[in-house]
Structure formats: structure tokens, C-alpha cells
Amino acid sequence: RAGAVFTQNVSGFEQRKLGMLNGAHSCLAYAGLLAGHTFVHQAVADPDVKALASGVMDEAAAILPVPLQAGAQAYKAELFARFANPFLHHKLRQIAMDGTLKVPIRILATQVNRKRHGLESPACDAVVAAYGQFIKAECAAGRQIEDPNSKALKQWLTQDSDMRTFLQELA
């Protein structure tokens, strides 16, 4: 009655959480910080940032196992309601930390899976680009990059490589 789901296989639920919830969180963090926001609820209130996060969720939802696709839009609505709560004070900088560990499993995995299905991933592409812009902005502002691969990220700044290629090579 409370909504608990018993299953023999959690992989689809894990894929949904990583792609929709965590992917949107990373999107909100990088795009939100670049837009000047501090908290998740502020980023969600920005129509451009919210639209991008919505696109990330839709791209992730489209490749979920069929039984989970049916409830994906309801899950998306629940997530946006949670993200919009101004009393949570969830800082975007906290989510933005450790991007070299988070972006591959939250965003690149969705892109790889969509490519297998012959699908483009424009929203996920935009998040990877926003992550690269975020790293550039942090370094330009003289702030320390909170990431276990911060040295490699600083080196990336001197190379002629896009962020997606960098993250794939890092893995």
C-alpha cells in the first residue's frame, strides 16, 4: 500500500535512478552554477536549466526497461517536485563535486545506451559540455576543483580535447 516494489532484478530501477535522478542532479549542478544559482530549487526555477534537466530525464527514460517506461513521467514529476522544495537547501556545489566519477555513470552511460539504440542524446551532450565549461570557469576563478582527478582536469584545460573524450580516456 505504501508503494514498495519487490523485484528479482533491481538493475532497471538502478538505471532509472542513475539516469533520471542523478543525471538530472548533475545537469542542475553544472548548468545551474553556470547560470549563477546556488541551490537545486533555484536551478529548477530557472526555465532554461529545468528544460535541460527535463531533457536529460526524457533521454534516460526512453531507454529504460519497458515495464519502467510506463511510470517514467510520474517519476519525473516526483523528482521535479522534490527538487523544487526550497526547504531542502541542497547546494549545487556539493552535487558538482567529483564530476569525473559521477558524470560517466550518470550521463555517459545514458549516451552509450542511447547510441546502441540508434538515438541521439542532445540533452546529455549539453550536460557534458556544461561540465567542461564549469571546470574552465572554476579554474579561471582560481577555485580548487573538488575531484579526485583534479590534476588530470587541469591538464585537460591545456589540451585540445572535448570533455566527453577526456572522461572516456580517464575511465
Side-chain angles (χ1 to χ4, degrees):
R1 287 184 283 173
V5 176
F6 293 91
T7 183
Q8 295 293 322
N9 186 350
V10 298
S11 64
F13 292 94
E14 181 180 35
Q15 180 185 348
R16 182 180 74 173
K17 178 193 179 288
L18 288 170
M20 292 183 73
L21 188 156
N22 297 129
H25 249 177
S26 288
C27 172
L28 294 169
Y30 303 123
L33 286 166
L34 290 170
H37 304 299
T38 303
F39 297 104
V40 169
H41 70 273
Q42 294 168 330
V44 168
D46 182 318
D48 295 329
V49 177
K50 183 177 181 179
L52 183 58
S54 179
V56 167
M57 288 190 213
D58 289 342
E59 288 177 8
I63 54 171
L64 289 174
V66 174
L68 291 176
Q69 286 182 12
Q73 291 305 309
Y75 183 62
K76 177 180 169 179
E78 290 173 22
L79 292 175
F80 274 129
R82 186 183 333 166
F83 294 163
N85 184 341
F87 299 106
L88 292 181
H89 298 291
H90 198 167
K91 291 186 176 182
L92 297 172
R93 286 202 173 276
Q94 178 186 4
I95 299 166
M97 291 173 31
D98 303 332
T100 61
L101 303 178
K102 294 175 181 176
V103 172
I105 60 173
R106 295 175 173 191
I107 302 295
L108 297 185
T110 296
Q111 289 177 308
V112 167
N113 201 350
R114 287 180 62 81
K115 189 171 186 170
R116 281 190 206 121
H117 289 86
L119 301 169
E120 298 290 322
S121 305
C124 287
D125 292 343
V127 174
V128 174
Y131 176 53
Q133 291 170 343
F134 167 76
I135 294 299
K136 289 176 184 176
E138 290 296 287
C139 288
R143 287 189 282 270
Q144 183 169 344
I145 300 170
E146 298 290 333
D147 192 286
N149 294 298
S150 61
K151 287 177 102 174
L153 282 165
K154 289 178 185 174
Q155 177 133 12
W156 170 77
L157 292 169
T158 66
Q159 300 171 353
D160 187 26
S161 135
D162 67 8
M163 180 54 76
R164 181 184 165 106
T165 303
F166 167 76
L167 290 170
Q168 288 171 328
E169 290 173 355
L170 194 61

